Amino acid sequence: MASEITYAEVRFKNASPSADVKAPPEKKKHEDHTPKYPPWLPWLISLLLLLVCIALIITLLVTRFSHSRGEMNALQQNATEWLCVSAIPQRKEHGWMCCPKEWKFFQKNCYYLSTDYMSWNDSKDNCTGMGSHLVVIKTEAEQVFLSTWIKENIKYGKKNNYFIGLSAQEVGQWHWVDQTPFNVTAAFWRPGEPSNVKNEKCVVIHWKEEKHWNWNDIPCDVPSFRICEAAALTV
């Protein structure tokens, strides 16, 4: 008798049908979000920075030139008579250097000794109003020139001190009115000066001192003569 074959369907609990097998999702490639700049952009930025620097320099020079021109125009308006000397070295286009009458010429500058007394602040304003500034002494030659001139004035009874453009906001911290750095090697103090005390923050040339080292710090509100200075007019 033929044997009967029985078929049975068997399923394994943990097995998954092949049809249900899914491949893992493919990872998306990382997108590069870094911005890309044109190669000429750094050069453009550098050029703009250079132009800004040039503009600042030109502005500074124009401001200083305008200030100088303003002083000279004021000096010209206040002076009706001028005294001129031959310029050295002689130049074809500019052969003379001129100062207002009653001013004195020395090394391309004009100097004025006042005949009235004022405080230091009023002296500063007075010189500015004439198109000049309180004198700024930069060399020994300039100091000797001024001291000699003051001694000559003593003969005419003008015995008083002369304010110069040196003062201090803090004790011992000296500054010139035109922002010229104070040079201790070109300072001409009297022996024992400056006193460097709180109530003496302005400087005069002392008329009694026989030598040329004659600066003295005094209270700013003590009325004194003054020395004004301006660049000579070149014509």
Side-chain angles (χ1 to χ4, degrees):
M1 177 174 121
S3 60
E4 185 178 351
I5 300 175
T6 302
Y7 295 91
E9 185 177 355
V10 179
R11 289 193 177 189
F12 295 96
K13 186 176 182 180
N14 295 329
S16 299
S18 60
D20 295 335
V21 176
K22 295 182 180 180
E26 186 175 336
K27 293 183 179 179
K28 293 183 179 180
K29 294 183 179 179
H30 176 70
E31 295 181 1
D32 187 5
H33 294 288
T34 305
K36 294 182 179 180
Y37 298 108
W40 47 263
L41 185 59
W43 294 97
L44 178 60
I45 295 174
S46 300
L47 178 61
L48 291 175
L49 290 175
L50 177 62
L51 292 175
V52 169
C53 291
I54 293 174
L56 290 174
I57 293 173
I58 292 175
T59 301
L60 179 61
L61 292 175
V62 168
T63 301
R64 289 189 176 182
F65 177 75
S66 299
H67 179 69
S68 298
R69 291 284 298 178
E71 285 190 350
M72 182 53 66
N73 289 336
L75 189 64
Q76 291 176 0
Q77 291 173 5
N78 282 279
T80 56
E81 294 184 57
W82 294 75
L83 297 176
C84 301
V85 297
S86 178
I88 300 174
Q90 188 80 21
R91 293 181 294 177
K92 293 182 180 179
E93 69 276 16
H94 297 300
W96 298 89
M97 303 192 81
C98 303
C99 292
K101 189 178 180 181
E102 297 181 357
W103 291 56
K104 226 171 191 181
F105 175 81
F106 180 75
Q107 292 184 346
K108 300 183 180 181
N109 290 319
C110 304
Y111 299 86
Y112 171 76
L113 297 186
S114 74
T115 57
D116 58 337
Y117 309 143
M118 290 183 178
S119 67
W120 189 89
N121 283 322
D122 288 342
S123 295
K124 178 173 69 70
D125 292 341
N126 180 266
C127 289
T128 301
M130 292 194 298
S132 61
H133 55 77
L134 279 172
V135 66
V136 175
I137 301 173
K138 302 182 180 71
T139 65
E140 183 177 347
E142 188 176 17
Q143 169 69 15
V144 171
F145 159 73
L146 293 172
S147 296
T148 303
W149 190 12
I150 287 172
K151 290 175 183 177
E152 292 173 357
N153 274 6
I154 294 175
K155 300 175 184 177
Y156 303 102
K158 298 178 181 179
K159 298 179 179 181
N160 202 310
N161 301 323
Y162 287 78
F163 278 126
I164 64 176
L166 190 63
S167 64
Q169 291 183 349
E170 300 294 335
V171 174
Q173 298 181 10
W174 301 105
H175 300 279
W176 291 108
V177 291
D178 68 345
Q179 307 306 314
T180 296
F182 177 67
N183 183 2
V184 294
T185 62
F188 306 97
W189 299 103
R190 296 175 67 199
E193 300 294 341
S195 303
N196 282 332
V197 295
K198 188 175 181 180
N199 66 329
E200 295 185 0
K201 294 182 179 179
C202 291
V203 179
V204 295
I205 287 182
H206 202 284
W207 69 274
K208 284 185 178 180
E209 190 66 42
E210 294 183 1
K211 297 181 180 179
H212 300 304
W213 275 252
N214 51 16
W215 293 3
N216 186 22
D217 55 341
I218 68 170
C220 298
D221 57 355
V222 173
S224 300
F225 289 135
R226 62 195 171 277
I227 306 175
C228 300
E229 175 188 9
L233 176 64
T234 305
V235 296

